[in-house]
């Protein structure tokens, strides 16, 4: 019973500590971050650590009965303090390494997106703009931070498969033939294959593969219909189409913002998911203009959620 009581005391300390920490997060970032399943899934590994603390407390109580409280505390506190100090140092080092690795990964993604823009010079800055539009819609749809990050990664790399499309087709000034269109339409599959072995891009791969699918099933490469198209891809499709409409191309002038908005509304239920269209409608004209006109951003700013 004493051992059980020590373990339960450690568990209670864990619950109180993590509960207070979650309240701080909610106070700082808003109630939408109160997601018990995600949160406790990230900290459950600390349970054995706290149970060990509880059992240490049990040891203090047992030793106090024979050695006296002061001697017991001094005897047991020293090794606990040493372990705690070493643990804190190890955790700081691991956090610093993880931060450095994530920063390097983010910088790689942004560099790849710039390479994609350079590959298709007619769409300079396209990747950055569609990230902004997509994130604004994702926030309206209450995507979690993890979902927003995957959406951001997919938006940055959506056209990576065009690296495998021959220049003669990608840069052809006139209309493409049926055979050339068949080659062009392979780029979602090519892009998905390129990132298939990157574990961090597993969910972003859905956007890369499905960003030319349509809500009515007339898209490519797989002709998915309605909800079978991943929601992140349905959101991104609007961002991609809108940016294309409001950007100058060699074969046409850019549409006005109001005309592009009207076109998105017109295609609701056919090319676009009505739920995603509602999310797009929530974005004000000033927000769209700010995203379209924003200059080059740092890696940290671009990938900040």
């Amino acid at each position: 019973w004493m051992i059980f009581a020590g373990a339960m005391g450690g568990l209670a300390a864990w619950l109180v500590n993590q509960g207070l920490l979650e309240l701080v997060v909610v106070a700082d970032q808003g109630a939408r971050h109160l997601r018990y399943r995600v949160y406790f899934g990230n900290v459950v590994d600390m349970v054995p650590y706290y149970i060990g603390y509880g059992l240490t407390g049990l040891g203090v109580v047992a030793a106090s009965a024979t050695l006296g409280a002061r001697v017991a505390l001094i005897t047991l506190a020293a090794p606990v303090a040493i372990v705690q100090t070493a643990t804190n140092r190890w955790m700081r080092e691991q956090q610093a390494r993880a931060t450095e690795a994530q920063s390097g990964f983010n910088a790689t993604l942004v560099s790849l997106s710039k390479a994609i823009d350079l590959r298709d010079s007619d769409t300079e800055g396209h990747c950055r703009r569609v990230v902004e539009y997509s994130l604004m819609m994702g926030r309206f749809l209450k995507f979690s931070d993890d979902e927003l990050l995957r959406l951001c990664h997919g938006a940055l790399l959506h056209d990576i498969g065009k690296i495998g499309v021959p220049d003669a087709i990608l840069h052809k000034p006139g209309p493409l033939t049926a055979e050339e269109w068949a080659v062009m339409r392979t780029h979602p599959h090519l892009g998905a294959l390129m990132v298939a072995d990157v574990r961090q891009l597993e969910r972003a791969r859905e956007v890369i593969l499905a960003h030319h699918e349509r809500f009515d099933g007339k898209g490519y490469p797989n002709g998915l219909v309605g909800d079978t198209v991943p929601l992140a891809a349905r959101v991104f499709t609007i961002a991609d189409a809108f940016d294309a409409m409001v950007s100058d191309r060699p074969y046409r002038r850019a549409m006005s913002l109001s005309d592009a908005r009207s076109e998105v509304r017109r295609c609701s239920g056919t090319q676009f998911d009505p739920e995603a269209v509602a999310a797009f409608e929530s974005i004000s004209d000033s927000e769209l203009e700010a995203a379209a006109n924003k200059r080059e951003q740092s890696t940290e700013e671009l990938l900040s959620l």
Side-chain angles (χ1 to χ4, degrees):
W1 283 109
M2 289 290 287
I3 294 174
F4 176 77
M8 290 301 99
L11 183 59
W14 175 78
L15 288 170
V16 171
N17 193 359
Q18 303 308 324
L20 291 173
L21 181 58
E22 176 68 355
L23 289 176
V24 171
V25 172
V26 170
D28 180 55
Q29 301 185 21
R32 73 183 184 87
H33 291 268
L34 186 60
R35 298 184 302 276
Y36 295 102
R37 185 177 301 175
V38 174
Y39 181 75
F40 283 106
N42 291 332
V43 299
V44 72
D45 290 342
M46 295 295 290
V47 170
Y49 183 76
Y50 276 91
I51 289 177
Y53 261 125
L55 295 175
T56 300
L58 171 65
V60 172
V61 173
S64 297
T66 55
L67 302 175
R70 290 184 179 179
V71 176
L73 283 171
I74 293 172
T75 303
L76 292 174
V80 169
I82 292 172
V83 171
Q84 181 67 57
T85 301
T87 301
N88 288 342
R89 182 182 302 167
W90 178 83
M91 291 179 69
R92 286 195 298 270
E93 290 174 354
Q94 294 302 310
Q95 184 176 16
R97 289 174 183 172
T99 300
E100 183 178 0
Q102 186 62 51
S103 179
F105 179 71
N106 289 344
T108 300
L109 292 184
V110 174
S111 295
L112 282 172
S113 74
K114 290 179 180 178
I116 296 167
D117 279 345
L118 289 172
R119 182 82 169 87
D120 190 357
S121 58
D122 290 339
T123 59
E124 184 179 358
H126 170 69
C127 291
R128 176 189 58 75
R129 293 190 298 272
V130 294
V131 166
E132 294 233 20
Y133 303 143
S134 298
L135 289 180
M136 285 188 279
M137 286 186 279
R139 293 189 183 100
F140 177 83
L141 294 171
K142 301 190 185 310
F143 279 20
S144 68
D145 285 347
D146 183 62
E147 289 168 333
L148 287 173
L149 186 62
R150 302 297 173 248
L151 174 60
C152 179
H153 290 168
L156 274 174
L157 302 179
H158 69 281
D159 271 344
I160 191 172
K162 286 185 176 179
I163 292 174
V165 176
D167 285 348
I169 295 175
L170 189 64
H171 300 303
K172 184 176 180 180
L176 299 180
T177 65
E179 293 77 12
E180 289 168 337
W181 265 117
V183 174
M184 178 65 81
R185 285 178 175 146
T186 63
H187 81 268
H189 266 309
L190 293 175
L193 286 173
M194 288 179 185
V195 303
D197 295 327
V198 184
R199 180 181 56 81
Q200 298 95 321
L201 296 176
E202 182 177 354
R203 294 290 299 279
R205 186 172 179 267
E206 295 179 347
V207 176
I208 296 171
L209 182 61
H211 74 278
H212 279 298
E213 300 287 356
R214 289 172 50 120
F215 192 70
D216 59 8
K218 296 180 181 179
Y220 65 90
N222 296 314
L224 301 179
V225 182
D227 292 346
T228 61
V229 182
L231 180 56
R234 283 178 265 154
V235 166
F236 172 77
T237 298
I238 295 178
D240 193 31
F242 174 78
D243 189 66
M245 286 187 279
V246 298
S247 300
D248 285 323
R249 293 290 188 269
Y251 48 87
R252 62 159 175 81
R253 294 293 303 274
M255 295 173 62
S256 67
L257 190 147
S258 60
D259 287 344
R261 275 193 180 278
S262 297
E263 184 65 13
V264 170
R265 292 190 202 102
R266 187 184 70 81
C267 295
S268 178
T270 54
Q271 183 176 354
F272 304 132
D273 173 15
E275 182 182 7
V277 171
F280 179 76
E281 290 283 77
S282 72
I283 307 172
S284 68
D285 288 352
S286 60
E287 289 175 315
L288 289 174
E289 289 174 355
N293 297 325
K294 188 177 291 184
R295 295 183 178 181
E296 189 71 15
Q297 296 165 278
S298 67
T299 299
E300 293 75 13
E301 184 183 0
L302 184 59
L303 294 174
S304 64
L305 304 179

